[in-house]
Amino acid sequence: MCLRFFARKTNLYFYFFNKNLFFTQFIVGYKHFHYTKKLNPVSFFIYQIIFFLLFSNWNNISAQVLSHRVFYIEKSHGENQVHYDVKVGADGKFLAKNTMDGYWYHRTEKKRYELNWIEQILAYGFDYELNIATNTIAMKMRALKKRPVKIYIKDHKPVAELMISGHPAILEKVYIKVAKQLYPPLEYIEIIGTEIANGHKIVERVYPKQVL
């Protein structure tokens, strides 16, 4: 029994590293069969087919779910940005669960770091509501409480739309000019995007009293 279990576990190990070399992997497995004399050839072959189909299908399912960055927040100092991503399936629909994600991204290290609780509550957190029927997301950011954001699919990719200087625009980034004094903690915020009507770049500068 132990030898049989070992053969199967070893065979699975080889499968992960040689899943695209089915014939080679089968020979390795068959040698295990011949050595242990615990599996008959028919059962072993069926076992191989099941694992081949199972994990191949799992890889396909994983590949169908893609995470897209829709916009980011950048500060006047430091290498970190706050990225906001959405998850989209192969059918072009937003995922029903855990649709949106916000996190720190260090540009030099190219690494992701999670937002802490205070950052989520006071500055970079957000609330969102997914409308499955229309495949749209209504989002509200802590950093821009008075600017509701609508996220939808345009030209096969997700975009974030909001008003910039009174014009509907696709949001690219939010730039925060950090103040030298403690309060208010920022001098101004720039909302940067592309105007939907003409495709021109549009920038609006707002000050703390307008934001908070």
Side-chain angles (χ1 to χ4, degrees):
M1 193 70 177
C2 291
L3 288 175
R4 182 179 179 182
F5 178 76
F6 176 78
R8 289 190 176 187
K9 293 294 285 186
T10 306
N11 196 38
L12 180 59
Y13 172 84
F14 275 100
Y15 183 88
F16 275 110
F17 287 92
N18 299 289
K19 61 179 182 293
N20 295 322
L21 303 174
F22 180 73
F23 181 72
T24 303
Q25 196 267 346
F26 174 78
I27 292 177
V28 173
Y30 186 81
K31 286 182 179 180
H32 289 160
F33 151 74
H34 200 71
Y35 174 74
T36 62
K37 300 182 185 299
K38 290 289 185 181
L39 296 173
N40 63 69
V42 176
S43 298
F44 182 80
F45 186 76
I46 294 174
Y47 165 77
Q48 296 288 328
I49 292 295
I50 291 173
F51 269 91
F52 180 78
L53 294 176
L54 177 63
F55 285 101
S56 296
N57 187 53
W58 176 262
N59 289 337
N60 290 336
I61 293 174
S62 300
Q64 290 174 358
V65 178
L66 297 176
S67 183
H68 299 265
R69 188 189 74 190
V70 284
F71 66 92
Y72 63 96
I73 294 178
E74 183 178 69
K75 297 191 297 182
S76 56
H77 68 275
E79 292 294 323
N80 288 335
Q81 297 174 335
V82 181
H83 286 198
Y84 296 90
D85 296 358
V86 294
K87 297 182 179 66
V88 183
D91 58 356
K93 303 290 186 181
F94 294 118
L95 262 62
K97 294 183 178 180
N98 301 320
T99 312
M100 291 203 66
D101 189 19
Y103 56 91
W104 286 107
Y105 179 76
H106 196 286
R107 289 178 290 176
T108 302
E109 298 177 1
K110 299 187 183 302
K111 289 184 179 180
R112 167 191 174 125
Y113 298 94
E114 301 302 323
L115 296 169
N116 63 42
W117 181 79
I118 295 178
E119 290 167 342
Q120 292 184 40
I121 295 298
L122 298 180
Y124 306 114
F126 58 91
D127 297 307
Y128 74 91
E129 184 176 349
L130 170 65
N131 188 323
I132 297 178
T134 60
N135 196 37
T136 58
I137 300 172
M139 176 189 183
K140 290 185 178 180
M141 294 185 289
R142 303 281 191 275
L144 293 171
K145 296 179 180 179
K146 299 179 181 180
R147 301 289 178 107
V149 179
K150 180 182 178 182
I151 301 174
Y152 56 92
I153 303 296
K154 181 181 181 180
D155 298 329
H156 307 291
K157 66 178 183 179
V159 295
E161 179 183 327
L162 82 170
M163 301 297 289
I164 302 180
S165 294
H167 302 280
I170 302 300
L171 178 62
E172 176 187 342
K173 74 174 181 177
V174 176
Y175 175 80
I176 298 177
K177 174 63 175 177
V178 180
K180 296 180 180 179
Q181 70 276 2
L182 292 177
Y183 189 85
L186 53 89
E187 290 186 17
Y188 60 82
I189 291 178
E190 286 186 342
I191 308 170
I192 303 169
T194 303
E195 193 172 346
I196 294 177
N198 52 33
H200 294 164
K201 183 176 180 179
I202 185 169
V203 180
E204 180 183 357
R205 181 174 293 186
V206 294
Y207 295 89
K209 290 183 179 180
Q210 298 172 285
V211 176
L212 302 175

